[in-house]
Amino acid sequence: MTTLVACSHGTDSPAGRRTVEEIVDLVRERIPTTRVVQAFVDVQEPAVSEVVEREHLDDDVVVVPLLLSVGFHTAVDIVRAVSPYDGVRQGEPLGTHPLIAEVLRARLRAAVHDRWLPGDHVVLAAAGSSNPAAVADVTTAAAHLADLIPVPVSIGYASAIEPRIADAVAFARQNGASRVIAASHVLAPGYFAGLVERSGADLVSAPLGADPRIAEVIVERFRSA
């Protein structure tokens, strides 16, 4: 047996905490014979290092980042947690999986009430990281989304890297967009979701949330680690 450690960022948002717990519950439903435990890299406890130190004593462990791209937390926090131990592995983040784009499309369709208009433009609104691999991940996610919707897609970031979301929204308008929709490339309500909501877009899609497809991606990352 192998334990799945579902490692999320952590949030002060009660709604965000509930959403992540619901996602983890969906994972448990799909692999009922596997032990699934939560861990965090920031804000909440227990820390991923503590969970791995405890769990590896009884089982092999795979840490799956409940994060949408690589970055400091995957390259530093989680690596530090898993590297001291044999039998502990790290899965890939979730965001480049095509199913994530399908969930994004569903959230966007809800935001536009299933009606795209001439002049619509979508800004994929990501948290942001200066890590080039994170930029590549978000670029891949944007390409997957662009294949699924009938309007142009560009990218904006909440922090760490340009263009910021508000600037990407403004640039889309300057280049002829009559309605700009920010696609929340975040898992759950919280700090970054709030930044997307305040970006100045005409419409903002909901976070990805506790969607069964998110759970499927997590299980796939676990099995392929």
Side-chain angles (χ1 to χ4, degrees), residues 64-79:
V64 178
L66 272 57
L67 303 166
L68 294 175
S69 65
V70 298
F72 182 86
H73 294 306
T74 58
V76 178
D77 293 323
I78 297 178
V79 167

Side-chain angles (χ1 to χ4, degrees), residues 4-200:
L4 191 166
V5 175
C7 182
S8 58
H9 182 278
T11 178
D12 288 324
S13 164
R17 292 186 179 195
R18 285 194 302 272
T19 298
V20 173
E21 289 168 0
E22 289 167 2
I23 292 170
V24 174
D25 284 342
L26 288 172
V27 172
R28 291 188 177 110
E29 290 174 5
R30 279 154 179 76
I31 46 174
T33 62
T34 297
R35 177 170 166 78
V36 180
V37 296
Q38 283 189 263
F40 306 93
V41 292
D42 200 3
V43 184
Q44 291 179 248
E45 298 289 342
V48 62
S49 57
E50 297 173 6
V51 174
V52 170
E53 184 178 11
R54 180 187 72 226
E55 297 295 331
H56 94 281
L57 297 173
D58 299 317
D59 208 349
D60 288 344
V61 174
V62 171
V63 179
V64 178
L66 272 57
L67 303 166
L68 294 175
S69 65
V70 298
F72 182 86
H73 294 306
T74 58
V76 178
D77 293 323
I78 297 178
V79 167
R80 284 176 178 168
V82 305
S83 58
Y85 308 110
D86 293 332
V88 180
R89 301 183 301 281
Q90 178 175 341
E92 295 180 23
L94 312 180
T96 58
H97 196 288
L99 283 178
I100 299 296
E102 292 187 11
V103 180
L104 279 168
R105 175 177 60 178
R107 302 296 174 261
L108 285 166
R109 289 177 66 177
V112 302
H113 302 290
D114 212 15
R115 186 182 177 212
W116 296 104
L117 301 176
D120 278 351
H121 184 106
V122 166
V123 173
L124 182 68
S129 169
S130 58
N131 186 326
V135 176
D137 282 356
V138 175
T139 301
T140 297
H144 287 323
L145 179 61
D147 287 339
L148 298 179
I149 61 176
V151 303
V153 176
S154 60
I155 299 170
Y157 299 95
S159 65
I161 188 171
E162 304 291 339
R164 296 301 170 88
I165 302 167
D167 294 334
V169 169
F171 187 76
R173 289 198 181 107
Q174 291 167 9
N175 283 270
S178 56
R179 186 173 68 165
V180 182
I181 305 100
S184 295
H185 192 53
V186 296
L187 271 184
Y191 175 74
F192 286 112
L195 292 179
V196 179
E197 291 171 0
R198 297 189 294 274
S199 65

Side-chain angles (χ1 to χ4, degrees), residues 201-214:
D202 298 293
L203 297 170
V204 177
S205 68
L208 297 172
D211 188 286
R213 289 165 290 191
I214 302 295

